[in-house]
Amino acid sequence: MESISRISSLLETARDLTLEAAQSASAVRGLRPGGSTNRRLPIPQLKKLLDSRNERDVLDGLRRVISMMYRSEHCLPLFSSVIKNVASPSMEIKKLVYIYLVHYAESEPDLALLSINTIQKSLTDQNPQARAMALKAMSGIRVPVISQIVSLAIKKGSGDMSPIVRKAAALAIPKCYRLDPGTSPQLLEYLSTLLGDKQYFVAGAAVMAFLEVCPDRIDLIHKHYRGLVRKLVDMDEWGQLATLRLMTVYSRRCFPRRLRKSSTKPDFYDSDSNHQPSHSRDEVGNEIPILDPDLELLLNTCKPLLQSRNSAVIVSVARCFLYLGTPGHIDQVVGPLVSLLRSPLDIQQLALYNIVSVCLIRPQPFVRYTTRFLLRTTEPPPIWRLKLEVLTLVFPHCTAHLKGVILNELHHFSQSSSSNNKDLMKESIKTIGRCAQSADPTTSERCLRVLLRQVFSNPEGSLVAESLTVIRHLIQHSSKPEMHLNTVVHLAKNLDSVTDANGRATIIWLVGEFAGVQKGEEDVGRGKGNIAADVLRILVKNFAEESEMAKMQIVLLAAKVYVHHHRHRHPQDVVEDGQQGDHDHRTQDPEMNDEEDRKGTQINLLWTYILLLARYDTSYDLRDRARFLKALLGSDSAAPRGDNHHATMQLATLILLAPKPSPYAPSPSEMRRGYVLGSMGLILGGGGGEKDQFGRTQEGGFFELPDWVKDGEEPDPKLRDEQLVGVGGSLTPGSAAFGGKNKDGSMGNTRQISAAERLDGALRASKSSSNKGGFGVGGGEGYAGSGGSHTPHGGNNGGKKEKTLDDWLDEDDGPLPAQSKLVNVESERPRRKDADEEEEEEEESGSEEQESGSEEEEDDEEEEDEEDMYEGRGGEGQKLISG
């Protein structure tokens, strides 16, 4: 009969497996287009499946309902049919019911409350996954009435023996807080317990809950700081991100920034030849930061995370090193950041934003990775724009070879023959200009030659205009602009070949700026060698055909030529400082004076003619400018000159010939300098909303790091000492870790022992031997539970016989108090002899029995010695039992 029943059970199992396989195959087939399970069933048929007693039908119906729900179809009429399956013993059915319940609980709060009792019963299930799932579902029901019930469930889950349930309790704390902020005091108590959990994934979830519920309560972190730092490496990526963010803020608010002046300079042979020279504030000012030991512990713990597979973790470590560490720590993070450029395009873009932000502060370490930032034609615009910014920032710190590589690369992409992307060509030309402004004069001359070749060889008008704009900036940026007179002359000769309006306007402006500079020293004072008047004469012929921008510059050029001619003819109108004046006078040669008078007459005629042309132009801006310049300078050189006229000419000189400031083209990322590394503000470039006292904004989620705490205002470092406390509150003496004194004699904070720690203690206590004297085994000190006495040196409490665990439980004096008791797990019992020893004792004689007895006594003494040695290691044989 037994074999028949066994065969029948096997057949039933095989049948079930066959049905499950067929159902799985049909489900996979239904995922394809035209599959049978994709066909929507009517509501009555779905209710029939949900009300079935067969678990397979119920599971099939729930799957169809969840599929409809995620397709945004109306599933609310099925609420009662779905919710009544919450008591099903099947885990798969419970999961689907919980998903449906959390999604529609707000729509049907009354029906959702009917399932609370069943979910509460699941909190006592033997399966930890069922308990965790029930806790997640209860905290996800957004009905404010059950906030206290959720709080009690979190309290129960925070003391659960399973770390899965404790993690679910930690994740449920923010949900309960959003449901009812009035439960905050209770939640903070649970959160403080979970922050000190021994399991790293529970601690990571507790940190995430802390950042959402009470990020300003730094006092809750003091006693858990070192434990969280040690568990940082073992956490999952989400826990690591939350912990690194918390520790960055905590370090700025609890560790002051101390600096000390370096008394000695580093020796030549002590420097590392592989590292680039550093020019940080610490080295230039001979100031070295002094790191707090706890801060140094955090930075050293973060180093292994630089090898993480998660790019966000690497960026978070870079943020810690950048805002908390020394320049040496920043150098360590450069390589991992650059390695992210081998990631997909979206991660490359985010990595480049952070690399640019680090380069703005410390570009030297990126020099060795310059070739990693060379452009590819297949890259999207956001990536190659950021790479150009990095090349601009590291260019001044590169060697001559690397500078040549960068310039050749930029020249290649600035040519229309090498790339059809006009935006890339324009940005390459701008990058050449920014590199030239930040480099030495030799490199600037090389950049200028590259751009001039670009002007005369590139037929594209917009690119020529961009090149001319960069050339103008370089000439203005030069310490001696007069050295570029030949360049301006060369550009003026090729003015006819430039068709772009911006390019022509740029050349005309340069000619006007050099209108007062003579070509050679031998011609100074004679008005020879300057081409400004000739260029103006040529431009006037086709004035009506020029663009509005070019017309503006032609009128401005005419005004500058007229002012220079007037200053040459009338030195008394020169400004007193004489910085822009030509201190010349008329010569004694009559022919030369006649030639100058004839030239002056021509310039006056040109000036009058241009004013007439501008007066009748269609552009009102041009008419207004011509009217302003006419009122400022006048048009009749033969008019009588009084003091008022001289003052007017001096004012015109100051307006038109004043020295222009050198243009500066900063990095486009300069506007992001104030944003925190790894934040959303760094990517988007700004955020709205007013900031609170902790640097958070009300809109957009942007945040700022707090300032370093002032020296002397930081919290007491003793608050970070880790110490344990018993369940009922009594300390376990003997060491600082058990609530005793530290090495410096100070008392640290205490924390409650979690359920996992009690379980570990019971496991260790079950393997330990009995104590030689007293109740506890604790490094030479004896401990008594409730009703017992404290024996300082492990005595036997006045000669009384030691009570075992059974004796404590059999006592009729009353119930055990609620406080912690430290009792010995194993009582001292006589050594039990095995069967072989008993047979030997029966066969041997009396003399041999005595000899055997002496040997047993020696063995007992050896065991007692071993127990004494074990007791001296800290008393790990004790067990904490709550009354």
Side-chain angles (χ1 to χ4, degrees):
M1 294 298 293
E2 183 179 356
S3 60
I4 294 175
S5 62
R6 185 177 181 183
I7 291 173
S8 62
S9 64
L10 291 175
L11 291 175
E12 185 68 22
T13 304
R15 175 179 173 276
D16 295 340
L17 293 176
T18 304
L19 291 175
E20 289 180 3
Q23 187 176 5
S24 300
S26 63
V28 173
R29 184 179 58 189
L31 294 176
R32 302 172 184 173
S36 60
T37 56
N38 270 339
R39 181 170 52 88
R40 179 181 177 183
L41 296 179
I43 298 297
Q45 191 171 351
L46 285 174
K47 286 186 176 181
K48 185 178 179 180
L49 288 175
L50 296 173
D51 296 339
S52 176
R53 295 184 178 181
N54 191 350
E55 288 187 359
R56 292 191 184 88
D57 295 340
V58 175
L59 189 60
D60 183 41
L62 286 172
R63 286 173 177 170
R64 291 178 181 273
V65 171
I66 298 300
S67 177
M68 294 170 58
M69 185 181 71
Y70 281 109
R71 289 199 298 265
S72 300
E73 297 182 11
H74 190 61
C75 302
L76 195 58
L78 301 170
F79 192 88
S80 58
S81 300
V82 173
I83 294 304
K84 69 181 182 180
N85 292 300
V86 72
S88 175
S90 175
M91 291 291 295
E92 295 186 2
I93 293 178
K94 278 188 176 182
K95 288 179 183 178
L96 297 178
V97 172
Y98 288 158
I99 293 173
Y100 183 89
L101 177 62
V102 171
H103 191 272
Y104 285 108
E106 286 184 302
S107 301
E108 292 289 342
D110 296 333
L111 292 177
L113 291 177
L114 298 178
S115 62
I116 296 299
N117 291 333
T118 307
I119 298 176
Q120 282 184 301
K121 292 180 181 179
S122 299
L123 293 174
T124 60
D125 196 286
Q126 294 182 355
N127 189 354
Q129 292 184 354
R131 299 197 300 270
M133 193 164 53
L135 184 56
K136 292 178 183 178
M138 183 180 293
S139 61
I141 298 175
R142 293 178 290 272
V143 179
V145 180
I146 64 171
S147 59
Q148 294 298 330
I149 300 177
V150 176
S151 178
L152 292 176
I154 295 174
K155 179 181 180 181
K156 187 174 182 180
S158 61
D160 197 280
M161 302 295 290
S162 174
I164 300 176
V165 183
R166 299 200 300 274
K167 180 180 179 181
L171 295 176
I173 289 177
K175 300 177 184 178
C176 184
Y177 179 76
R178 289 194 296 266
L179 195 64
D180 184 10
T183 59
S184 177
Q186 308 168 18
L187 298 179
L188 292 181
E189 182 180 354
Y190 311 149
L191 187 58
S192 178
T193 303
L194 292 171
L195 285 171
D197 199 283
K198 293 177 62 176
Q199 295 294 334
Y200 51 87
F201 50 88
V202 179
V207 171
M208 288 189 282
F210 175 86
L211 290 176
E212 189 167 352
V213 175
C214 53
D216 54 311
R217 290 293 304 275
I218 299 297
D219 55 305
L220 298 178
I221 306 298
H222 292 320
K223 55 187 176 182
H224 305 300
Y225 173 81
R226 294 171 186 169
L228 291 174
V229 170
R230 286 195 295 266
K231 290 190 282 283
L232 178 60
V233 180
D234 298 324
M235 293 180 182
D236 60 332
E237 285 84 355
W238 293 105
Q240 288 173 350
L241 293 175
T243 306
L244 286 172
R245 180 176 178 180
L246 171 63
M247 292 306 167
T248 304
V249 176
Y250 179 88
S251 300
R252 302 270 292 198
R253 296 179 62 181
C254 297
F255 303 130
R257 193 66 166 178
R258 298 187 179 95
L259 300 174
R260 65 177 177 87
K261 292 186 178 180
S262 178
S263 57
T264 58
K265 295 183 179 180
D267 187 66
F268 175 78
Y269 297 99
D270 293 338
S271 60
D272 189 359
S273 59
N274 295 328
H275 291 77
Q276 296 294 332
S278 174
H279 302 285
S280 64
R281 176 182 176 274
D282 296 333
E283 294 183 2
V284 172
N286 293 327
E287 292 183 347
I288 302 175
I290 303 175
L291 298 180
D292 189 273
D294 286 330
L295 177 57
E296 192 170 3
L297 172 65
L298 171 64
L299 297 176
N300 292 334
T301 307
C302 291
K303 289 180 182 179
L305 298 181
L306 293 174
Q307 302 176 3
S308 175
R309 61 183 179 180
N310 193 304
S311 57
V313 175
I314 296 177
V315 173
S316 297
V317 176
R319 179 175 59 209
C320 286
F321 284 5
L322 181 65
Y323 299 118
L324 303 180
T326 61
H329 290 93
I330 302 177
D331 298 346
Q332 295 178 4
V333 82
V334 170
L337 281 177
V338 175
S339 66
L340 296 179
L341 298 180
R342 296 192 294 266
S343 305
L345 294 177
D346 53 347
I347 298 180
Q348 285 188 37
Q349 182 179 355
L350 298 178
L352 283 169
Y353 273 115
N354 292 278
I355 288 174
V356 171
S357 181
V358 177
C359 274
L360 290 172
I361 300 175
R362 187 172 174 81
Q364 296 89 350
F366 290 93
V367 172
R368 69 175 73 177
Y369 302 103
T370 302
T371 55
R372 300 286 187 91
F373 302 105
L374 298 181
L375 277 61
R376 297 184 178 90
T377 55
T378 58
E379 291 174 341
I383 291 182
W384 56 254
R385 289 179 190 274
L386 292 170
K387 283 189 174 182
L388 289 176
E389 291 185 34
V390 176
L391 292 176
T392 304
L393 294 173
V394 302
F395 185 83
H397 308 278
C398 292
T399 60
H401 172 70
L402 288 177
K403 289 181 179 179
V405 171
I406 294 175
L407 290 178
N408 292 335
E409 189 78 7
L410 296 176
H411 179 59
H412 171 75
F413 284 102
S414 64
Q415 296 177 351
S416 59
S417 59
S418 60
S419 176
N420 295 325
N421 191 346
K422 293 183 179 180
D423 293 335
L424 177 58
M425 289 187 284
K426 290 181 179 180
E427 291 298 327
S428 300
I429 294 172
K430 291 180 180 179
T431 305
I432 292 175
R434 290 201 298 267
C435 291
Q437 291 180 12
S438 59
D440 54 283
T442 304
T443 307
S444 299
E445 290 294 333
R446 180 178 177 180
C447 296
L448 187 60
R449 290 195 299 269
V450 170
L451 293 173
L452 287 174
R453 287 199 301 268
Q454 182 75 18
V455 171
F456 301 129
S457 63
N458 198 334
E460 182 64 34
S462 59
L463 298 180
V464 172
E466 194 67 43
S467 301
L468 288 172
T469 302
V470 176
I471 290 173
R472 176 174 64 85
H473 291 172
L474 293 180
I475 293 176
Q476 288 183 263
H477 193 72
S478 177
S479 59
K480 296 181 179 180
E482 297 81 5
M483 298 176 58
H484 299 282
L485 179 60
N486 293 330
T487 302
V488 176
V489 173
H490 192 50
L491 291 174
K493 290 180 180 179
N494 292 272
L495 183 60
D496 294 337
S497 61
V498 179
T499 58
D500 186 78
N502 292 330
R504 293 180 64 85
T506 301
I507 295 178
I508 296 171
W509 185 88
L510 285 174
V511 172
E513 285 296 303
F514 284 82
V517 180
Q518 304 300 325
K519 188 175 181 181
E521 293 182 359
E522 66 277 2
D523 297 326
V524 174
R526 300 183 180 275
K528 294 183 178 180
N530 194 287
I531 63 171
D534 293 332
V535 173
L536 179 62
R537 177 179 55 83
I538 296 173
L539 291 174
V540 167
K541 296 179 180 178
N542 298 320
F543 182 84
E545 300 176 1
E546 296 285 350
S547 63
E548 181 180 353
M549 188 177 300
K551 290 178 182 178
M552 290 278 193
Q553 296 301 326
I554 291 174
V555 173
L556 184 61
L557 173 63
K560 291 180 180 179
V561 171
Y562 180 78
V563 170
H564 281 293
H565 169 68
H566 182 273
R567 297 175 68 208
H568 173 68
R569 296 292 302 273
H570 305 282
Q572 65 273 15
D573 293 340
V574 179
V575 189
E576 293 181 359
D577 56 5
Q579 292 181 358
Q580 296 290 337
D582 297 326
H583 301 281
D584 300 322
H585 51 84
R586 296 175 61 87
T587 62
Q588 301 295 331
D589 190 356
E591 296 181 358
M592 185 66 65
N593 293 333
D594 294 340
E595 182 179 356
E596 291 181 0
D597 293 339
R598 185 173 61 256
K599 184 177 179 180
T601 303
Q602 294 175 354
I603 291 177
N604 290 333
L605 291 175
L606 277 175
W607 171 240
T608 305
Y609 180 61
I610 289 176
L611 289 178
L612 290 174
L613 291 175
R615 180 180 179 181
Y616 298 102
D617 196 83
T618 57
S619 174
Y620 57 86
D621 290 336
L622 182 61
R623 296 196 301 268
D624 290 345
R625 175 168 293 190
R627 190 178 301 111
F628 165 73
L629 293 175
K630 180 180 179 181
L632 183 65
L633 300 176
S635 60
D636 187 6
S637 61
R641 307 181 188 277
D643 296 337
N644 191 16
H645 177 75
H646 297 329
T648 303
M649 293 304 299
Q650 291 181 1
L651 179 61
T653 302
L654 291 176
I655 293 176
L656 297 176
L657 305 183
K660 309 301 186 297
S662 300
Y664 175 68
S667 173
S669 295
E670 286 287 343
M671 65 179 68
R672 301 188 183 94
R673 183 183 287 270
Y675 292 100
V676 179
L677 194 71
S679 64
M680 186 62 68
L682 184 64
I683 310 301
L684 301 180
E690 297 182 358
K691 298 175 183 176
D692 58 9
Q693 56 179 338
F694 305 109
R696 302 187 304 268
T697 55
Q698 303 295 330
E699 302 174 4
F702 302 94
F703 71 97
E704 289 185 357
L705 287 176
D707 296 331
W708 288 97
V709 64
K710 296 182 180 179
D711 195 3
E713 298 180 2
E714 71 276 7
D716 190 358
K718 297 177 183 178
L719 296 175
R720 290 185 287 272
D721 294 339
E722 293 180 300
Q723 296 171 4
L724 304 177
V725 68
V727 179
S730 60
L731 296 177
T732 305
S735 63
F738 287 93
K741 293 185 177 182
N742 300 321
K743 293 181 179 181
D744 57 355
S746 61
M747 294 293 294
N749 285 345
T750 59
R751 66 179 178 86
Q752 292 185 353
I753 297 179
S754 63
E757 293 173 348
R758 296 200 300 269
L759 182 61
D760 294 340
L763 181 61
R764 289 194 301 267
S766 63
K767 298 179 181 180
S768 64
S769 60
S770 60
N771 188 13
K772 182 177 180 181
F775 292 114
V777 183
E781 292 185 5
Y783 309 99
S786 175
S789 60
H790 177 209
T791 307
H793 298 287
N796 56 3
N797 196 11
K800 294 181 181 180
K801 185 178 179 179
E802 173 184 51
K803 291 183 179 181
T804 62
L805 178 59
D806 296 333
D807 296 333
W808 278 105
L809 297 176
D810 293 337
E811 273 187 350
D812 296 331
D813 296 339
L816 292 176
Q819 65 179 5
S820 299
K821 302 176 181 57
L822 300 172
V823 299
N824 195 13
V825 178
E826 295 186 3
S827 61
E828 293 185 357
R829 297 175 180 174
R831 184 172 178 265
R832 186 175 179 180
K833 301 177 182 179
D834 52 15
D836 295 337
E837 291 177 348
E838 291 178 358
E839 292 177 0
E840 290 176 359
E841 287 178 356
E842 291 176 358
E843 295 177 356
E844 292 178 3
S845 60
S847 59
E848 291 176 348
E849 291 177 358
Q850 295 178 358
E851 182 179 359
S852 176
S854 63
E855 292 176 357
E856 292 178 1
E857 292 177 357
E858 293 176 359
D859 294 337
D860 292 339
E861 292 176 358
E862 293 177 358
E863 291 178 359
E864 291 176 355
D865 295 336
E866 293 177 358
E867 290 174 359
D868 293 338
M869 293 175 59
Y870 184 74
E871 292 170 2
R873 297 178 182 175
E876 295 181 354
Q878 296 172 351
K879 178 180 180 181
L880 293 173
I881 300 178
S882 178

